[in-house]
Amino acid sequence: MIEKRQFYINGNWSDPAQERDHNVINPSTEEPCAIITLGCDGDVDAAVSAAKSAFPDWMNTPPAERIALVEKLAEVYEARAEDMAQAISLEMGAPIELAREQQTAAGAGHIAAFIAAAKEFDFEHQHDPNTPGSYIRNEPIGVAALITPWNWPMNQVTLKVVAAAVAGCTMVLKPSEESPLSAMVFAEMMDEAGFPPGVFNLINGDGPGVGTLLTEHPDVDMISFTGSSRAGKLISKAAADTLKRVSLELGGKGANLVFADADADAVERGVRHCMNNSGQSCNAPTRMIVQREIYDQAVETAAKVANSIRVGPASEDGDHIGPVVNEVQFDKIQDLIQKGIDEGARLVAGGTGRPDGLNRGFYVQPTVFADVNNAMIVAREEIFGPVLSIIPFDDEEDGIYIANNTPYGLTDYVQTQDPARAARVARALRAGMVEVNGQSRGMGAPFGGMKQSGNGREGGPWGIEDFIEVKSISGYDPAA
């Protein structure tokens, strides 16, 4: 049993103000794998105070020096990549191969992308050549509270921490209590990289406790949150009294528009993308919207692919999918699968209950529904499990309407060999990100959504800008 009863505050591992133990459950076995301590108001005050005290010096540290520390972090992260992968696999059930090649690798990629973006970022420049002394300074917003989810721990931690650091903010990180071990490994990395005391602080806790305390704290200048749309709304309301900035990356119900002229691998690619990470991705293409001319064949292919996906423990090698993170998520997914059946969707793969041979652990069958319409619950709600809904459409206008008829707007997908159609549809989709024919976003591209999928952008210069205040100065000599 791993015991993590300390918080990283002001450059030191410190004991919490009071013992509030929380068992971290290994979702592959349903057994506790670690004990952490949940923070209280005293811990939050100590961490925020440390960040506030460190802010003036860190803000005035030259950007080149801040970037150099991030470059050192990149070296430490690479050296301890296996420690990180093992922690992620244990705490949230990611198969070890996925934990290494996708989960841990995502963090390394974001650190590298921010180093490149920070070196090009213009922290101060002349505004108007015709007005001498007119300058723009991009300054850090202040103390940032970073609240991250359990499903892609290092993807989200690095997107927030590194952006805040290069911008010149100090911070308090609250990782999910479901996946705290990777965040504590990351805190060790920050310490080894040599960030000054108080720049980075970590407290474990749950949303109603530490999350709320950070959101309401008068000395926190910004909340950067990734999680459910429901929680995002609560955070926005709680932060309103102090008028702090709130950046939100929330849920999704991605549409994958498959036209009749899609490439031969489009349907299989969409199914495997949906099921990746056991379906626990906010940008998963969970609504496959298929043109009627190829609908029956697409349903057949999707069912065959889903039935071929193996489910197994996170510790095993291979390209299988693992369990979902906890019992609450497992029960929610089972309930939504049953609702799909009750509403009349045609179950063509998977269903309720665990896969054969797995009687313990939060394992969900890869599930595919056909003949879904956009009014069904399985087409409206973010299930956050390996569940795909297939919806037919008639023509381009109909497909775009179905895709956009959702409260979410995070990531949509387009499959067509007609470049003109791809361009038209990509422009028409109301989502923060659109991927065409399986083309992934480039390194450092902005990540974020519209509507109830949030309002911020993470990654590259956009991620740095999230933590920036813009100051206009006139009658100014920057060399003085």
Side-chain angles (χ1 to χ4, degrees):
M1 179 79 70
I2 299 170
E3 293 195 15
K4 297 286 187 179
R5 300 176 184 271
Q6 292 183 315
F7 302 147
Y8 187 74
I9 299 175
N10 205 29
N12 296 295
W13 292 98
S14 58
D15 292 326
Q18 61 187 50
E19 288 291 331
R20 296 176 59 227
D21 286 348
H22 169 78
N23 285 332
V24 180
I25 304 299
N26 178 344
S28 293
T29 64
E30 301 185 42
E31 297 294 331
C33 63
I35 300 173
I36 62 169
T37 296
L38 303 181
C40 65
D41 53 356
D43 302 309
V44 171
D45 286 342
V48 173
S49 176
K52 184 178 180 181
S53 296
F55 176 67
D57 285 345
W58 185 242
M59 171 186 176
N60 290 308
T61 298
E65 294 183 23
R66 300 199 295 256
I67 294 168
L69 283 168
V70 175
E71 290 176 322
K72 177 61 177 175
L73 172 65
E75 295 174 5
V76 176
Y77 191 98
E78 181 179 1
R80 296 198 60 188
E82 182 62 19
D83 292 342
M84 182 61 74
Q86 292 291 340
I88 292 172
S89 183
L90 178 66
E91 68 191 359
M92 58 81 58
I96 187 60
E97 187 173 304
L98 183 144
R100 291 184 182 120
E101 297 180 3
Q102 296 185 44
Q103 293 270 5
T104 301
H110 291 316
I111 295 171
F114 275 126
I115 291 169
K119 288 180 177 179
E120 298 295 324
F121 196 83
D122 199 348
F123 286 93
E124 182 173 315
H125 61 272
Q126 188 173 10
H127 170 233
D128 181 4
N130 296 315
T131 306
S134 176
Y135 278 81
I136 299 295
R137 277 179 56 84
N138 290 312
E139 296 185 347
I141 193 169
V143 175
L146 315 176
I147 303 176
T148 57
W150 46 262
N151 60 320
W152 285 90
M154 280 305 106
N155 182 73
Q156 293 307 134
V157 167
T158 54
L159 278 172
K160 297 182 191 303
V161 169
V162 181
V166 297
C169 290
T170 55
M171 68 206 79
V172 180
L173 171 66
K174 189 209 83 66
S176 169
E177 69 274 21
E178 303 295 338
S179 58
L181 304 181
S182 56
M184 299 187 83
V185 172
F186 185 81
E188 293 170 0
M189 295 177 179
M190 293 288 287
D191 185 68
E192 185 176 344
F195 282 84
V199 169
F200 171 85
N201 305 275
L202 178 144
I203 304 179
N204 284 312
D206 56 18
V210 170
T212 298
L213 289 167
L214 286 169
T215 302
E216 296 176 345
H217 202 289
D219 290 332
V220 169
D221 301 294
M222 175 183 177
I223 299 287
S224 179
F225 170 79
T226 299
S228 70
S229 298
R230 178 194 60 81
K233 294 172 186 176
L234 293 173
I235 283 172
S236 296
K237 292 175 182 177
D241 285 344
T242 50
L243 291 177
K244 55 174 58 70
R245 182 184 298 179
V246 178
S247 179
L248 302 171
E249 194 274 285
L250 307 176
K253 193 70 178 175
N256 186 7
L257 278 162
V258 183
F259 287 89
D261 67 342
D263 66 88
D265 298 326
V267 172
E268 179 173 355
R269 184 170 63 240
V271 175
R272 294 193 183 280
H273 191 171
C274 175
M275 305 296 174
N276 188 47
N277 201 40
S278 302
Q280 299 171 121
S281 302
C282 53
N283 63 341
T286 53
R287 290 183 299 149
M288 183 177 286
I289 304 171
V290 182
Q291 199 158 19
R292 287 192 190 276
E293 290 93 316
I294 61 167
Y295 179 77
D296 291 340
Q297 181 59 53
V299 170
E300 182 180 334
T301 299
K304 181 179 179 181
V305 173
N307 285 326
S308 75
I309 294 173
R310 190 170 71 86
V311 183
S315 58
E316 292 184 1
D317 289 328
D319 61 356
H320 59 289
I321 67 172
V324 297
V325 72
N326 59 27
E327 184 176 12
V328 171
Q329 287 296 122
F330 177 83
D331 289 344
K332 173 193 170 186
I333 295 163
Q334 298 299 312
D335 180 63
L336 286 167
I337 292 173
Q338 186 59 53
K339 280 185 167 63
I341 296 169
D342 294 343
E343 285 185 314
R346 177 161 58 101
L347 186 68
V348 297
T352 57
R354 291 175 173 83
D356 291 342
L358 294 169
N359 298 319
R360 189 163 179 80
F362 305 121
Y363 300 101
V364 177
Q365 298 183 63
T367 296
V368 177
F369 284 109
D371 304 346
V372 175
N373 66 65
N374 226 29
M376 291 181 178
I377 290 173
V378 290
R380 306 297 296 177
E381 289 195 21
E382 185 180 38
I383 298 174
F384 231 59
V387 182
L388 174 67
S389 296
I390 307 181
I391 304 170
F393 76 92
D394 294 316
D395 55 23
E396 185 177 311
E397 182 180 3
D398 185 38
I400 292 169
Y401 173 79
I402 294 170
N404 286 339
N405 184 19
T406 172
Y408 296 106
L410 188 58
T411 313
D412 286 341
Y413 303 81
V414 182
Q415 319 298 329
T416 177
Q417 296 303 292
D418 181 341
R421 174 187 288 142
R424 287 194 306 271
V425 176
R427 293 183 186 117
L429 291 171
R430 296 293 295 160
M433 297 169 285
V434 178
E435 296 185 11
V436 179
N437 294 329
Q439 177 65 54
S440 298
R441 295 173 302 111
M443 185 177 78
F447 190 102
M450 303 178 182
K451 300 187 285 187
Q452 291 190 29
S453 289
N455 56 23
R457 291 294 181 273
E458 296 184 311
W462 302 272
I464 299 171
E465 287 170 359
D466 244 11
F467 292 91
I468 289 292
E469 291 281 21
V470 178
K471 178 185 286 184
S472 174
I473 308 176
S474 56
Y476 172 64
D477 179 3

